[in-house]
């Protein structure tokens, strides 16, 4: 069964860094776009970043531009989200997603999420 498993979340102080990983298994995700979304308490899930299957295109939500970097290693079936200069408002559950469309109009696969908490 195809699944995505995130790791790397935790508690960090403001201005700190974390690196999230998303390991895909059960099928090859090589040709899928990979993305990260997040959901804070009481808020809707929102887009954070995405990367095309060849890593030739990336896009970011405005609130993370210049601070977060998405990448992937297709040989390891893994996507990453490097998060720098973290702010308390980045606190959320972060979800990995895979979609056969870079536009992520309807996500094919979701991970279970990893909690990121940024203290002030």
């Amino acid at each position: 069964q195809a699944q995505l498993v995130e790791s790397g979340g935790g508690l960090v102080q403001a201005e700190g860094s974390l690196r999230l990983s998303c390991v895909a298994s059960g099928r090859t995700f090589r040709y899928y776009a990979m993305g990260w979304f997040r959901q804070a308490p009481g808020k809707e899930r929102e887009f954070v970043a995405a990367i095309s299957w060849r890593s030739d295109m990336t896009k970011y939500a405005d609130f993370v531009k210049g601070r977060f970097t998405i990448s992937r290693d297709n040989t390891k079936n893994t996507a990453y989200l490097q998060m720098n200069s973290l702010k308390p408002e980045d606190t959320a559950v972060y979800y990995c997603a895979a979609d056969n469309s870079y536009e992520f109009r309807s996500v094919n696969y979701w991970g279970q999420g990893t909690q990121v908490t940024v203290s002030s």
Side-chain angles (χ1 to χ4, degrees), residues 88-110:
E89 51 264 43
D90 293 318
T91 294
V93 177
Y94 283 71
Y95 297 90
C96 178
D99 197 329
N100 54 21
S101 166
Y102 181 64
E103 300 304 319
F104 280 88
R105 292 192 180 94
S106 60
V107 174
N108 298 103
Y109 299 97
W110 288 103

Side-chain angles (χ1 to χ4, degrees), residues 5-10 19-23 36 79 81 94 96 112-114:
V5 178
E6 304 96 332
S7 63
R19 188 194 196 202
L20 305 183
S21 298
C22 171
V23 178
W36 290 93
L81 186 67
Y94 283 71
C96 178
Q112 84 289 348
T114 185

Side-chain angles (χ1 to χ4, degrees), residues 5 11 14 16 18 27 31 37 43 46-47 49 56 61 63 68 84 88 93-94 102 110-111:
V5 178
L11 174 64
L18 283 175
R27 63 160 297 151
Y31 300 108
F37 292 73
K43 295 186 177 181
E46 61 183 356
F47 169 78
D56 57 343
F63 51 78
F68 291 10
N84 298 328
V93 177
Y94 283 71
Y102 181 64
W110 288 103

Side-chain angles (χ1 to χ4, degrees), residues 45-108:
R45 191 173 299 189
E46 61 183 356
F47 169 78
V48 175
I51 186 167
S52 62
W53 72 270
R54 288 184 295 186
S55 300
D56 57 343
M57 296 187 294
T58 58
K59 57 183 176 182
Y60 298 90
D62 287 343
F63 51 78
V64 303
K65 282 181 180 177
R67 301 188 298 124
F68 291 10
T69 303
I70 189 171
S71 62
R72 66 189 294 167
D73 184 342
N74 287 341
T75 65
K76 297 181 179 179
N77 254 3
T78 302
Y80 305 95
L81 186 67
Q82 177 67 42
M83 306 186 296
N84 298 328
S85 302
L86 283 161
K87 305 175 181 180
E89 51 264 43
D90 293 318
T91 294
V93 177
Y94 283 71
Y95 297 90
C96 178
D99 197 329
N100 54 21
S101 166
Y102 181 64
E103 300 304 319
F104 280 88
R105 292 192 180 94
S106 60
V107 174
N108 298 103

